[in-house]
Structure formats: structure tokens, C-alpha cells
Amino acid sequence: MRTQVGIVGAGPAGLLLAHLLHRAGIDSVVLEARSRDYVENRIRAGVLEHTTEDLLISTGLGARLRREGLPHRGVHLRFGGRDHRIDFAALTGRHVTVYSQHKVVQDLIAARCAADLPILFEATDVAVHDLTTDRPRITFRHAGAAHELACDIIAGCDGFHGICRSAIPPGVLRIFERVYPFAWLGILAEAAPAADELIYASHDRGFALLSMRSPELVRLYLQCAPDEDLEAWSDDRIWAELAARSARPGFALNQGPIVQRSLTPMRSFVAEPMRHGRLFLAGDAAHIVPPTGAKGLNLAVADVAVLARGLEAFFRRGDPAGLDAYSATCLDRVWKVQRFSWWMTSMLHRFDSHTPFERHMQRAELDYLAGSAAASTALAENYVGLPL
Ligand code: RFL
Ligand code: PHB
């Protein structure tokens, strides 16, 4: 088997890259470890930056997004029993769109299948070889047989636990990492959102986030211990804790059946550079942000937008400049987004190690944000997305 770009991973990064390459007339093969059903129903992110939305719409993926995406023109920060709204539209002229990551994945898979392009689910024993030659290879097993895929370029879009980053020899990558001393317990519940925008609540008991997926489905998160036992959380305990942390006079959550629960560890992680020879890392394979800034999916999209441009120049004109600049171009954005995600996380969560002084600093930061148009604008322009 032979292709121009071998793509490992059918998450948003791998699938969108394949889509952008197809539009540029470049062949690719996507290899995915999981089943189609699994990747299409994996509940993850929910907030699209305006640049992500624009890219999806401008490349023909806007039909359902336009119908089902919920435009949000602001978010609420809730602390001290009060709300402060960050008005994205007034401060930046932009909005974000609430649209599930799994729908983005479904839309991309549908487009690839409609064009009859190769995507192999349940590929096992995937391994990458000869990365520093101009004929890198991917070996894998599929439907009971061993295969080899000869490529010009390999895109490692296989997420944080994939094989591509670890195929890079020791000593090449520099790793930067922070692991936070808490996780998020997330639920999906069949209930109407209590407000029409997201609420980020900072409370002495810990952080809570009230998000949504549709007018009938809410996505709610509670800060918890990193090794929290989900069994110890009855539905009643979850609702009581959410209510306590989001309390405000006149506010009540709508409850409904909890249809999914998960535990998300919180980590900031960057591997530099994002390239080794003919292997290019994109998305979570190269970096992880804590979800407080709603950035992971958007960062994956930004990476592959840069990579697709570089690959187009490389294959059309033999011009390697875009590929040579890929890592530095992406990392410039990655570090800004890391800063924002770290800052949101640090400002809004309860840290058991904090001294009373540090708690005052957190509260003063929130008060300053609430009272300053300059500080609110800084949050808003990062949240809606820095320019691509
Ligand atoms: P993915 O989505 O992890 O996809 C990688 C794919 O590679 C496959 N794979 C392999 N395939 C072949 N061979 C192997 N050896 C393989 N190993 C792995 C995997 O099965 C998978 O299909 O990475 P990608 O494409 O880089 O996309 C990144 C995003 O998924 C991630 O950053 C976001 O979900 C993060 N995130 C959020 N991002 C946002 O922009 N906005 C949000 O609101 C937001 N909320 C979240 C989030 C992530 C969360 N969790 C669960 C981590 C909320 C949560 C709770
Ligand atoms: C979500 O809806 O899943 C979501 C929203 C905002 C975040 C993180 C997750 O910051």
C-alpha cells in the first residue's frame, strides 16, 4: 500500500487533516485503533472557537453545525454568590459555538466515507518506521492480515496515549508538564440548561462548570480528587454538590437522568519540537491542556490547519518552507493557549495547598476581572480564539 500522507488516529486532528488534504488533492490513509462506533460516540469537548467553526463551514462541513450548533456570545463567572458575565460579542465582536466534538467527528467521517476515501478502523499493532528517511513506513494489522503503508509523510494524530510521540528517539523531544492535584467528574444529563450560557463557578468547596450540548442535554463538571472513586458518587450526591457550588439567589439547576459519567485528569503538557524527520505530531499527541479554557479540540484544529498548508506547498511546489516552520508556528500558539488554560485553571479551582494569602489572591484576581473591561477583554479574546 502507498499514500502521500499516512495519518495515525481518527480523532478531530487526523480526520480534519485528511479532509483538508483531500480538498488540496493530496492522498492520505487514516488508521484508527478503535471502532467507528467508539470514536463517533466518545463524549469530549463541546466549545468551538470562531476560527474552528469558520474552518469547518468553509470546507463544506457546516450543514449540521449550522443547524445544531448553539452560538454563545458570553460566559458567566460565578463567585461569591454573584455572576459576572464576560460579553464576548461586546468585547471582541466574536462568539463561540457549542457543538459536540463527537458530532464534529461524525461529520468528518461521513464526509470521508461519502468521498469513498480510505479510513481503516480497528487497526492494531500500528508502528511507524524510517522517520528520518524520505520514505517513512507504517506497519499495522487490519482484518486479520499484516500490512505496510509506504508514505512520503506521516502525521501522528493519535492523541496523548498514542504511539507516534513515543516512536521519536530519546533525547530528541523536550517535555514540559504540569499535573494538577485534582480531576473533573463530568456528567451528561437529560435536562434543560439552567441558563443559556456556560457558568464557570469558583467556590470554597471546589470548582463547577455548567455546560450543555443541546436544549435538552446538559454537560456538568465538578472538581474532585484525581483518584476519585466514581462509585462513591450517587446521583443525589452529584446534584447536591453541583447545587452547592453553583448556588446564587434565584438560581436552580434542572435535574434529569444522568446518562454518562467520566473522570478527566487535569494536565498541561507540551512536547517540543512537533516534528521529527518526516513525522509531524498534531493535536493531543503533542500537547494537552486542562479543559478549563475549552481549548484542546481547537488547538488540534489549529495544528492541522498549519500542517495542511505546509503539505500543500510541499506536494504542489516542492517547497518545504511551511513544513520546516510547522513546529515553531504551532508552538507559538500552543504556549499562548497553555498560558490561558493554566491561568483559568489556577484562578477558578480550589487548591488544598493554598495558604489564606493565596486564596485572597485568587479572589482578588476574580474581582479585578469582574471590574475591569481590560481584564475581561483579555479573557474574552483568548476564549473566542486567537487569530489563526
Ligand atoms: P484524540 O481525540 O484523542 O484522537 C486520537 C485518536 O487516535 C487514536 N489512536 C490510535 N490510532 C491508531 N493507532 C494507535 N496506536 C492509536 N492510539 C490512539 C485514538 O483512538 C483516537 O481516536 O486526539 P486529537 O484528534 O488530537 O483531538 C484532541 C481532542 O480530542 C481533545 O484535545 C479535546 O477533547 C479536549 N477537550 C476540549 N477541547 C476543546 O477544544 N473544548 C472543550 O470544551 C474541551 N472539553 C476536552 C474537554 C477533553 C475532555 N476529556 C475527556 C479529555 C472536556 C473533556 C472532559
Ligand atoms: C464542555 O461542554 O464539555 C466543556 C465546556 C467548556 C469547558 C470544558 C468543557 O471549558
Side-chain angles (χ1 to χ4, degrees), residues 97-109:
T97 296
V98 171
Y99 188 69
S100 286
Q101 174 170 328
H102 74 277
K103 290 188 181 175
V104 175
V105 165
Q106 289 169 2
D107 297 345
L108 282 160
I109 292 176

Side-chain angles (χ1 to χ4, degrees), residues 3 33 52 120 138 225 240 272 293 298 307 321 353 360 367:
T3 189
T52 300
L120 305 182
I138 308 179
E272 286 190 7
N298 294 296
L307 185 54
S353 63
H360 270 289
D367 283 334

Side-chain angles (χ1 to χ4, degrees), residues 204-267:
D204 288 344
R205 300 177 67 90
F207 171 74
L209 170 60
L210 313 183
S211 181
M212 65 193 72
R213 287 293 179 271
S214 73
E216 301 85 32
L217 199 59
V218 287
R219 180 76 168 143
L220 310 173
Y221 298 97
L222 285 170
Q223 174 185 354
C224 63
D227 55 355
E228 195 75 43
D229 175 12
L230 288 187
E231 297 298 311
W233 287 82
S234 64
D235 290 9
D236 286 349
R237 183 176 171 208
I238 291 175
W239 289 115
E241 195 59 35
L242 283 164
R245 294 186 192 183
S246 64
R248 198 209 62 188
F251 177 83
L253 281 167
N254 301 313
Q255 298 189 13
I258 296 178
V259 291
Q260 199 257 4
R261 335 159 151 227
S262 59
L263 192 69
T264 304
M266 304 279 280
R267 181 194 298 272

Side-chain angles (χ1 to χ4, degrees), residues 221-346:
Y221 298 97
L222 285 170
Q223 174 185 354
C224 63
D227 55 355
E228 195 75 43
D229 175 12
L230 288 187
E231 297 298 311
W233 287 82
S234 64
D235 290 9
D236 286 349
R237 183 176 171 208
I238 291 175
W239 289 115
E241 195 59 35
L242 283 164
R245 294 186 192 183
S246 64
R248 198 209 62 188
F251 177 83
L253 281 167
N254 301 313
Q255 298 189 13
I258 296 178
V259 291
Q260 199 257 4
R261 335 159 151 227
S262 59
L263 192 69
T264 304
M266 304 279 280
R267 181 194 298 272
S268 304
F269 176 96
V270 180
E272 286 190 7
M274 290 168 59
R275 171 191 190 170
H276 178 60
R278 291 274 179 123
L279 171 67
F280 292 80
L281 300 177
D284 280 13
H287 40 71
I288 292 285
V289 286
T292 328
K295 291 290 171 216
L297 163 65
N298 294 296
L299 211 44
V301 167
D303 286 352
V304 299
V306 175
L307 185 54
R309 271 203 308 267
L311 288 169
E312 198 175 336
F314 178 73
F315 284 111
R316 283 233 178 111
R317 304 189 293 279
D319 174 5
L323 291 183
D324 290 343
Y326 170 73
S327 178
T329 305
C330 289
L331 285 167
D332 181 58
R333 183 186 190 87
V334 165
W335 279 112
K336 288 178 188 146
V337 171
Q338 286 288 358
R339 186 205 66 80
F340 177 68
S341 304
W342 158 84
W343 172 72
M344 287 283 281
T345 304
S346 307

